[in-house]
Amino acid sequence: MFLSVVIFLVGLIVLSWSADRFVYGASALAKNIGISPMMIGLTIVAMGSSAPEIVVSAMASANGNMNTAVGNALGSNITNIALVLGITALVKPLVVASTTLKRELPALLVITLIAIAFLFDGELASYEGLILMGLFVFVLAMMAWLSLQVDKEDPLVAETADEIPSNVSTTSALIWVGVGLVLLPLSAHFLVDSAVEIARYFGISDLVIGLTIIAFGTSLPELAASIAGVLKGEDDLALGNIIGSNIFNLLAVLGMPGLISPGLLDPDVFNRDMWVMLGLTLLLFLFSFDLIGKRIISRTNGALFLASFIGYQIWLFG
């Protein structure tokens, strides 16, 4: 048991570090090729923030732990909104000014409803996984197109440009991409195996281990990035990372088990978890979206999110 915990923690650290190095190398390489910082931010960086969840989902599905993969997708979205955004807003209220985010928020809500429609029958079929992965490619293409249309005065433009690495040679960038591609699946393999062992030891279901320990672990990079972002005044970028990550979780992360190991879901997915995710997404939309001007996600909003996360954990283990 002790060894499983150590392997899990080491796997989590290596997974987070290799995902960060992969995004660093891919962003630097894209910049050297001449791709705009905004396009890099909306595609490579956004997708990279979900890389741990995507790889873990693929590994869990390949090992036959489909409910762990589904739990990882739903749990990561719940954790990103309730815990990550909740703590971030408590540290410093977020001012939502970017028109780009006001386009992404409705997209997140629509994608959440599509995911719930697929989960509603208690089964994730292969064709549903294929549709989700197809939508993932479509959303990436739309984000690339959106980056070309964005107003240069949009605060997200300057915030994104500041985060793209500069003065990195193409050789170094390729090396970091290679390091990420090797270590991401390797660390995910050990993380999933050890998490399953821990779950069995405590009598926890595959779904709950995905909803909790794996979802929390893979969301730690978003927590660190969001707090660092708001402390630097990059509120739109911090919120954008959460929205982008949640979109990719529902498309790529949830699509993996549909493609690799389709089958029946744990009934709690329908009875509990997908409704919690929908409720939190609706609250995020309500607190963030305004047709005109700015909106502020206040400390009160953050406290509500955090209280929701604590209540949800009590529900899971109570």
Side-chain angles (χ1 to χ4, degrees):
M1 176 59 196
F2 175 75
L3 182 60
S4 294
V5 172
V6 171
I7 292 173
F8 178 85
L9 292 174
V10 172
L12 180 60
I13 292 169
V14 175
L15 182 75
S16 300
W17 181 81
S18 57
D20 176 75
R21 293 296 85 191
F22 174 78
V23 172
Y24 176 86
S27 300
L29 183 62
K31 186 173 184 178
N32 290 350
I33 293 172
I35 297 174
S36 72
M38 191 64 177
M39 184 178 291
I40 295 170
L42 288 179
T43 55
I44 295 172
V45 175
M47 184 175 65
S49 66
S50 289
E53 287 93 338
I54 293 171
V55 179
V56 166
S57 181
M59 288 295 169
S61 300
N63 291 345
N65 303 112
M66 188 259 275
N67 281 298
T68 299
V70 172
N72 183 28
L74 303 187
S76 292
N77 278 25
I78 291 169
T79 302
N80 281 346
I81 297 174
L83 180 67
V84 174
L85 187 56
I87 291 177
T88 303
L90 285 174
V91 171
K92 180 178 174 291
L94 287 82
V95 178
V96 186
S98 172
T99 55
T100 303
L101 296 187
K102 292 172 184 177
R103 295 189 188 103
E104 289 189 11
L105 274 167
L108 172 59
L109 186 56
V110 169
I111 290 167
T112 300
L113 292 173
I114 291 172
I116 286 177
F118 286 170
L119 299 173
F120 201 81
D121 62 355
E123 183 178 4
L124 192 59
S126 55
Y127 78 89
E128 291 170 332
L130 187 61
I131 291 173
L132 290 173
M133 294 305 295
L135 286 173
F136 173 61
V137 175
F138 174 75
V139 167
L140 274 179
M142 286 301 297
M143 285 186 170
W145 176 82
L146 182 63
S147 71
L148 301 175
Q149 313 301 318
V150 69
D151 185 348
K152 295 188 185 302
E153 299 300 317
D154 191 311
L156 194 59
V157 174
E159 292 176 14
T160 301
D162 290 341
E163 294 300 312
I164 306 301
S166 301
N167 302 319
V168 180
S169 70
T170 299
T171 300
S172 295
L174 285 170
I175 290 173
W176 285 123
V177 168
V179 167
L181 289 175
V182 171
L183 291 183
L184 270 169
L186 189 62
S187 57
H189 169 74
F190 285 105
L191 184 144
V192 170
D193 282 355
S194 58
V196 169
E197 288 297 320
I198 294 169
R200 288 173 180 166
Y201 181 84
F202 288 106
I204 302 171
S205 69
D206 287 350
L207 174 65
V208 170
I209 200 70
L211 287 166
T212 55
I213 185 171
I214 293 179
F216 176 76
T218 55
S219 293
L220 284 177
E222 279 92 345
L223 178 60
S226 295
I227 292 176
V230 295
L231 290 178
K232 291 190 291 185
E234 298 173 344
D235 296 16
D236 289 296
L237 186 61
L239 183 57
N241 286 338
I242 291 172
I243 295 172
S245 177
N246 280 19
I247 288 174
F248 291 146
N249 285 342
L250 290 176
L251 297 178
V253 181
L254 190 60
M256 285 293 178
L259 285 178
I260 299 173
S261 60
L264 295 175
L265 300 166
D266 187 311
D268 283 334
V269 171
F270 171 80
N271 295 325
R272 179 190 60 207
D273 307 312
M274 72 182 194
W275 302 114
V276 173
M277 180 184 69
L278 176 60
L280 288 168
T281 303
L282 287 170
L283 276 180
L284 173 60
F285 187 89
L286 178 66
F287 293 157
S288 306
F289 195 77
D290 192 3
L291 290 173
I292 301 173
K294 301 177 180 179
R295 288 296 296 269
I296 295 177
I297 299 179
S298 65
R299 286 192 171 92
T300 301
N301 299 150
L304 179 58
F305 280 137
L306 188 57
S308 299
F309 181 79
I310 295 171
Y312 177 62
Q313 301 305 307
I314 293 172
W315 189 6
L316 286 176
F317 295 103

